[in-house]
Amino acid sequence: MTVVGDRLQPTIFERSRPGRGGGKIPHPPNDALGRIPAGALRATPAALPELAEPDVVRHYVNLSQLNYAVDTGFYPLGSCTMKFNPKLNEWAARLPGFAGLHPMAPDAVAQGTLQLLFELEELLAEISGMDAVTLQPAAGAHGELTGILMVRAYHRSRGDTDRTEVLVPDSSHGTNPATATMAGFRTITIPSAPDGGVDVEAFRAALGPRTAAIMITNPSTLGLFERRIGELLEATHAAGALAYMDGANLNAILGRFKPGEAGFDVMHFNTHKTFSTPHGGGGPGAGPVGVRARLVPFLPAPRVLRAEDGSFRLERPGERPRSIGRMRSFTGSSGVLVRAYAYIRAHGAAGLREVSDDAVLAANYLKHRLAGTYQVPFERACKHEFVASAADIRHRTGVRTLDIAKRLIDKGYHPPTIYFPLTVEEAMLIEPTETESLETLDGFADALIEIAREAETDAALVTSAPHDAPVRRLDEATAARQPNLRWRGMTGALLPCPD
Ligand SMILES: *Cc1c(COP(=O)(O)O)cnc(C)c1O
């Protein structure tokens, strides 16, 4: 099956014509094939497409232009912090000393990268109020797993082996319960109070000698700062449990709230959210984890150490016996970490605080503009994102949040996050970030308001959207469950890689 709209194009295999090619790459000497052992030679030639270089370039550039990207438009995905990525970071990450370093290079020739990693750990510790940081995890979810494995190691090291439960609020990101499960814990879900915060009574009732940790996202995925955080952390520690903070929403609180000082024991950062690594295409990212002193012995190995003479080196195997071990190859996604470092250094302390202030201002502005048209279930000021609901519109007109999201594509905008958090009916989670202009915010608000009007006057126009996209409505369940990612049409294409 092929889905072809007007702007889609044939695959590169379908464009192939036998014998065509760029012709600029020197061919191997005639006897090259003769030197390969017969058993290692393939029976049939690989089914590779044959095209001239300009056709290859145009094929991929045209494909790239079917994509929506933060460099081409506003990207208001909530719980994602899709901010503009300064090109300065890209320059820094491509410096040959960073980009060309071999991952097995001896410490002596990797001093610049080791210093950058060491300093980035220090910067993140300062930003979060934590005592130490590991840069190894590949993303936020991986950081969660790293953090919870350290919690497990901590309890075990004290002989405290009956702690089998992790408490998670119902508004949390799906990765939180998934992490608890992967680390061998049972997840206990805590309901939200009517104001969107954690229900403290339910929390206290669930907390006890079986609780290993609580995982709290602050500000929450509803875009609300957890006002009772002091009370929750005090109760957690009194019960002998540890407190994990999901730091995905750090963009809202830089320079204003330090989780470590507030009493959290461990947290992760999403450098690809808060610290401007490009994301949305599936990686790579980085999910550094910060810990307070009592978890430092358990940090993944190897850590970057600074010797007395000021030089840097990686820990040697076995040097820190209580470490949970390696979470990722080498020192993590180092190119991504260079970008995070460049971003933090370019902003400085005052600049980072301004990032958060502007992100919060932009979110509250958009919320205010949409409040008369969509329901905003939580009245109080939001942080960096807010939830709007189309439940009333749906009951009146039949138009659902999914339809509104699709119609936004016609109007030139990427839709916000929809149907998350699960606790709000017909939810849209909208996060503008600090990098968007007033004109962009107004344009987006106008588009959403216009769609609400269309829902009342011409619901079919909205429910059949998008009308002006490369493809119309896709069957999302089939796309996710039976992804069709391989082209099978060309003769011989099936031979080299059997199922
Ligand atoms: C994005 C996000 C995560 C997961 O982070 P990844 O880097 O995508 O793995 C976890 N929790 C929250 C609240 C998030 O928004």
Side-chain angles (χ1 to χ4, degrees), residues 79 139-141 144 173 175 217 221 246 248 268 270 272-273:
S79 208
E144 289 175 35
H173 198 272
T175 50
T217 309
T221 51
D246 179 327
H268 78 259
N270 303 64
H272 43 290
K273 294 178 180 173

Short mmCIF file of all heavy atoms in Angstrom, two decimals, residues 79 139-141 144 173 175 217 221 246 248 268 270 272-273, ligand 1:
data_model
loop_
_atom_site.label_atom_id
_atom_site.label_comp_id
_atom_site.label_asym_id
_atom_site.label_seq_id
_atom_site.Cartn_x
_atom_site.Cartn_y
_atom_site.Cartn_z
N SER A 79 4.77 19.59 27.35
CA SER A 79 5.61 18.56 27.96
C SER A 79 6.79 18.22 27.05
O SER A 79 7.31 17.12 27.11
CB SER A 79 4.79 17.29 28.27
OG SER A 79 5.38 16.62 29.37
N ALA A 139 18.52 9.94 27.56
CA ALA A 139 17.30 10.76 27.45
C ALA A 139 16.64 10.81 28.83
O ALA A 139 17.13 10.17 29.77
CB ALA A 139 16.34 10.18 26.42
N GLY A 140 15.54 11.55 28.92
CA GLY A 140 14.87 11.69 30.20
C GLY A 140 14.43 10.35 30.78
O GLY A 140 14.66 10.06 31.96
N ALA A 141 13.80 9.53 29.95
CA ALA A 141 13.31 8.24 30.45
C ALA A 141 14.47 7.38 30.96
O ALA A 141 14.34 6.70 31.98
CB ALA A 141 12.56 7.52 29.33
N GLU A 144 15.49 8.65 34.29
CA GLU A 144 14.59 8.14 35.34
C GLU A 144 15.04 6.75 35.78
O GLU A 144 15.12 6.47 36.99
CB GLU A 144 13.15 8.02 34.80
CG GLU A 144 12.46 9.33 34.55
CD GLU A 144 11.09 9.10 33.90
OE1 GLU A 144 10.43 8.09 34.20
OE2 GLU A 144 10.68 9.93 33.07
N HIS A 173 3.93 11.72 33.50
CA HIS A 173 4.30 11.23 32.18
C HIS A 173 4.36 9.70 32.24
O HIS A 173 4.79 9.15 33.25
CB HIS A 173 5.69 11.80 31.85
CG HIS A 173 6.06 11.76 30.41
ND1 HIS A 173 6.66 10.68 29.84
CD2 HIS A 173 5.91 12.67 29.41
CE1 HIS A 173 6.89 10.92 28.57
NE2 HIS A 173 6.45 12.13 28.27
N THR A 175 6.39 7.68 31.22
CA THR A 175 7.70 7.10 31.49
C THR A 175 7.91 6.86 32.99
O THR A 175 8.71 5.99 33.35
CB THR A 175 8.82 8.02 30.99
OG1 THR A 175 8.59 9.33 31.48
CG2 THR A 175 8.87 8.05 29.47
N THR A 217 6.67 15.35 39.26
CA THR A 217 7.04 16.26 38.19
C THR A 217 6.66 17.66 38.66
O THR A 217 5.50 17.90 38.99
CB THR A 217 6.29 15.91 36.89
OG1 THR A 217 6.46 14.52 36.64
CG2 THR A 217 6.82 16.71 35.72
N THR A 221 2.75 18.12 34.85
CA THR A 221 2.39 18.10 33.44
C THR A 221 1.09 18.87 33.18
O THR A 221 0.65 18.95 32.04
CB THR A 221 2.24 16.66 32.93
OG1 THR A 221 1.37 15.98 33.80
CG2 THR A 221 3.57 15.95 32.92
N ASP A 246 11.05 14.51 38.46
CA ASP A 246 11.10 14.49 37.00
C ASP A 246 11.31 15.94 36.58
O ASP A 246 10.44 16.79 36.76
CB ASP A 246 9.77 13.92 36.48
CG ASP A 246 9.70 13.87 34.96
OD1 ASP A 246 10.30 14.74 34.30
OD2 ASP A 246 9.03 12.96 34.44
N ALA A 248 11.69 17.30 33.61
CA ALA A 248 11.40 17.64 32.21
C ALA A 248 10.88 19.08 32.07
O ALA A 248 11.02 19.68 31.02
CB ALA A 248 10.39 16.66 31.64
N HIS A 268 16.19 14.15 37.07
CA HIS A 268 16.83 14.17 35.76
C HIS A 268 16.56 15.49 35.05
O HIS A 268 15.62 16.20 35.37
CB HIS A 268 16.38 12.99 34.88
CG HIS A 268 15.02 13.16 34.26
ND1 HIS A 268 13.89 12.56 34.75
CD2 HIS A 268 14.62 13.86 33.17
CE1 HIS A 268 12.85 12.88 34.00
NE2 HIS A 268 13.26 13.68 33.04
N ASN A 270 16.35 17.11 31.01
CA ASN A 270 16.27 16.75 29.60
C ASN A 270 17.01 17.85 28.85
O ASN A 270 16.46 18.92 28.61
CB ASN A 270 14.83 16.69 29.11
CG ASN A 270 13.98 15.72 29.92
OD1 ASN A 270 13.76 15.94 31.12
ND2 ASN A 270 13.50 14.69 29.30
N HIS A 272 17.66 18.10 25.87
CA HIS A 272 17.00 18.39 24.59
C HIS A 272 15.69 19.14 24.80
O HIS A 272 15.04 19.51 23.84
CB HIS A 272 16.77 17.09 23.82
CG HIS A 272 16.28 15.96 24.68
ND1 HIS A 272 17.07 15.35 25.61
CD2 HIS A 272 15.08 15.37 24.77
CE1 HIS A 272 16.37 14.42 26.23
NE2 HIS A 272 15.16 14.41 25.74
N LYS A 273 15.28 19.35 26.03
CA LYS A 273 14.16 20.25 26.28
C LYS A 273 14.73 21.57 26.81
O LYS A 273 14.81 22.56 26.10
CB LYS A 273 13.17 19.63 27.27
CG LYS A 273 12.50 18.38 26.71
CD LYS A 273 11.56 17.71 27.70
CE LYS A 273 10.93 16.48 27.05
NZ LYS A 273 10.14 15.70 27.98
C1 LIG B 1 9.67 14.37 28.01
C2 LIG B 1 9.30 13.88 29.34
C3 LIG B 1 9.87 12.71 29.88
C4 LIG B 1 10.73 11.75 29.07
O1 LIG B 1 11.86 12.34 28.57
P1 LIG B 1 12.59 11.81 27.23
O2 LIG B 1 13.80 12.64 27.15
O3 LIG B 1 11.62 12.00 26.12
O4 LIG B 1 12.89 10.36 27.45
C5 LIG B 1 9.57 12.37 31.17
N1 LIG B 1 8.73 13.12 31.91
C6 LIG B 1 8.15 14.24 31.43
C7 LIG B 1 7.25 15.05 32.31
C8 LIG B 1 8.41 14.65 30.12
O5 LIG B 1 7.82 15.75 29.65
#
